[in-house]
């Protein structure tokens, strides 16, 4: 029991809130910050419809990512006792590498976060440039480190921003951005999310409240990539779902996912649901997809999604004790995690 992974803290910065609780409550209330960008226009000559976090005073993409990441990091650090800050493993998910996000960008953000964290803790930083599912990969690594005894407490996060002229233009040219002329697209967003994760024994020792237990987490690879000529039939997503649910050993009560308006993601979900046992879900089509509130949040997706059921449970709105979170990266990585509630640790 002592090696169980517990979530004891949250941190977030999104278009709908400066902190985790504010962001989650805004999503539950259906508050949306998707609106016309103040100066960026699409190929039709209309403003991009984005979930822009207006208070940010920097414009360069990597600077926006770092600013979001450090703000949310400060919040999640509030949940940790001083004893674990002497050595703190940090897993940060970032966008996938490519022409518009380079290895140098990832290094710059990593160094910036390490510099920001150094006065607050002794960071041991691991960067995962896995895109939308990178936070799930980070959680899987963190849980493995806790169960092996390599660490007792760590933080897992993700940060991303689509507010870059070249990136928006390339997405628009590919027909992927939602607009008046494109129904099957997503609203670009930005944000950062963090989870503080520790062993149950660590939580008991320091009398920390367990917000949720990570009952199962798994990643898999989808061989039929997004936006290619091949047809995705949900094999990778279904595998991640099955493995996470098998580890949890309980029916899933609600799903939280990154369905964002793109046809690909909806089709993949439809196929994946047919590939898993029907008894795996209480209701296979009961899901929450908050992209219509805070936009598509890229590499921040997994930790931001996980805070939604946790805060719903904390406020008495949870539909059940075993929610599943799942998401997928463009390169093919798929990830799923099942949380369990009613697992008080503090005494």
């Amino acid at each position: 029991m002592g090696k169980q992974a517990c979530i004891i803290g949250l941190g977030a910065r999104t278009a709908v809130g400066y902190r985790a609780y504010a962001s989650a409550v805004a999503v539950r209330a259906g508050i949306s910050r998707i609106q016309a960008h103040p100066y960026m226009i699409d190929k039709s000559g209309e403003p991009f419809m984005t979930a822009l976090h207006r208070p940010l005073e920097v414009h360069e993409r990597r600077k926006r990512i770092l600013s979001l990441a450090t703000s949310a990091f400060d919040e999640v650090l509030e949940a940790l006792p001083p004893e674990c800050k002497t050595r703190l493993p940090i897993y940060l998910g970032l966008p996938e590498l490519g022409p518009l996000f380079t290895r140098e960008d990832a290094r710059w953000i990593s160094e910036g976060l390490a510099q920001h964290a150094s006065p607050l803790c002794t960071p041991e930083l691991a960067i995962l440039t896995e895109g939308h599912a990178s936070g799930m990969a980070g959680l899987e690594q963190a849980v493995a480190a806790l169960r092996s005894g390599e660490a007792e407490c760590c933080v897992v996060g993700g940060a991303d921003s689509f507010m870059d002229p070249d990136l928006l233009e390339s997405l628009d040219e590919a027909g992927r951005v939602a607009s008046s002329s494109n129904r099957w697209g997503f609203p670009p967003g930005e944000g950062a999310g963090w989870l503080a994760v520790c062993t149950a024994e660590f939580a008991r020792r320091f009398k920390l409240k367990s917000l949720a237990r990570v009952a199962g987490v798994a990643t898999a690879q989808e061989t039929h990539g997004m936006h290619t000529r091949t047809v995705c039939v949900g094999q990778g997503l279904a595998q991640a779902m099955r493995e996470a649910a098998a580890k949890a050993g309980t029916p899933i009560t609600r799903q939280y996912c990154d369905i964002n308006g793109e046809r690909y993601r909806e089709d993949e979900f439809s196929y994946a649901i047919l590939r898993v046992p029907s008894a795996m879900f209480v209701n296979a089509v009961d899901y929450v997809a908050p992209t219509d509130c805070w936009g598509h949040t890229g590499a921040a997706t997994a930790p931001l999604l996980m805070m939604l059921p946790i805060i719903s449970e904390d406020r008495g709105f949870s539909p059940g004790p075993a929610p599943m979170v799942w998401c997928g990266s463009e390169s093919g990585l798929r990830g799923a995690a099942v949380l369990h509630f009613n697992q008080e640790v503090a005494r």
Side-chain angles (χ1 to χ4, degrees):
M1 292 289 290
K3 294 299 184 181
Q4 289 181 345
C6 300
I7 297 175
I8 56 170
L10 306 169
R13 185 83 178 264
T14 69
V16 296
Y18 284 82
R19 292 172 68 86
Y21 270 74
S23 298
V25 170
V27 168
R28 176 169 175 80
I31 295 173
S32 176
R33 290 297 184 192
I34 298 172
Q35 52 193 299
H37 194 280
Y39 57 86
M40 293 186 190
I41 59 174
D42 62 22
K43 61 185 178 184
S44 300
E46 299 180 358
F48 281 106
M49 298 302 295
T50 66
L52 171 71
H53 190 63
R54 290 179 178 269
L56 290 183
E57 297 180 352
V58 294
H59 299 287
E60 187 180 351
R61 185 188 184 193
R62 66 181 186 179
K63 290 181 179 180
R64 295 182 76 87
I65 293 174
L66 178 60
S67 181
L68 292 163
T70 53
S71 174
F73 180 79
D74 290 344
E75 181 185 3
V76 78
L77 214 61
E78 296 170 6
L80 302 183
E83 289 80 0
C84 75
K85 297 178 184 178
T86 55
R87 173 185 174 267
L88 184 62
I90 299 172
Y91 301 86
L92 175 63
L94 292 175
E96 295 176 70
L97 299 179
L100 299 177
F101 189 82
T102 66
R103 196 173 301 278
E104 169 58 24
D105 292 326
R107 185 195 63 78
W108 186 89
I109 293 170
S110 173
E111 291 179 354
L113 179 61
Q115 183 178 2
H116 176 84
S118 293
L120 309 171
C121 63
T122 303
E124 295 183 358
L125 200 59
I127 297 296
L128 299 93
T129 52
E130 299 282 359
H132 305 163
S134 58
M136 203 67 74
L139 180 64
E140 186 176 44
Q141 292 184 23
V143 169
L146 295 176
R147 290 178 176 167
S148 69
E150 182 182 339
E152 287 190 299
C153 183
C154 54
V155 293
V156 180
D160 205 342
S161 173
F162 286 90
M163 302 307 137
D164 175 81
D166 293 333
L167 177 58
L168 287 175
E169 182 179 352
S170 68
L171 292 170
D172 190 29
E173 287 295 329
R176 297 186 56 195
V177 178
S179 67
S180 59
S181 60
N182 182 30
R183 176 184 175 186
W184 296 104
F186 67 84
E190 56 186 349
W194 289 97
L195 309 170
V197 190
C198 70
T199 63
E201 193 282 328
F202 182 90
R204 282 193 293 268
R205 190 191 320 155
F206 293 102
K207 295 181 169 57
L208 303 171
K209 178 183 178 181
S210 172
L211 302 175
R213 178 168 62 88
V214 182
V217 58
T219 57
Q221 196 70 28
E222 176 56 61
T223 56
H224 302 290
M226 294 182 182
H227 317 296
T228 65
R229 293 182 179 275
T230 59
V231 178
C232 175
V233 290
Q235 291 176 321
L237 179 58
Q239 180 183 340
M241 285 178 162
R242 282 195 305 268
E243 292 182 8
K247 293 175 183 178
T250 185
I252 306 305
T253 50
R254 175 168 289 177
Q255 301 169 68
Y256 294 78
C257 63
D258 64 346
I259 290 178
N260 64 358
E262 289 188 281
R263 190 190 298 270
Y264 179 100
R265 292 181 184 275
E266 295 186 8
D267 290 347
E268 180 182 26
F269 172 61
S270 300
Y271 282 118
I273 287 298
L274 298 176
R275 291 180 173 275
V276 300
S278 59
M280 205 174 91
F281 296 101
V282 174
N283 181 351
V285 293
D286 180 11
Y287 66 84
V288 175
T291 302
D292 60 343
C293 293
W294 58 31
H296 189 42
T297 53
T301 296
L304 288 179
L305 287 176
M306 272 185 269
M307 79 180 188
L308 296 180
I310 290 173
I311 293 175
S312 289
E313 169 70 13
D314 188 63
R315 296 179 64 86
F317 299 134
S318 175
M324 172 181 279
V325 174
W326 56 262
C327 52
S329 300
E330 295 187 22
S331 64
L333 182 67
R334 303 290 184 266
V338 179
L339 304 179
H340 272 181
F341 298 128
N342 304 321
Q343 296 288 331
E344 285 290 339
V345 175
R347 293 176 181 174

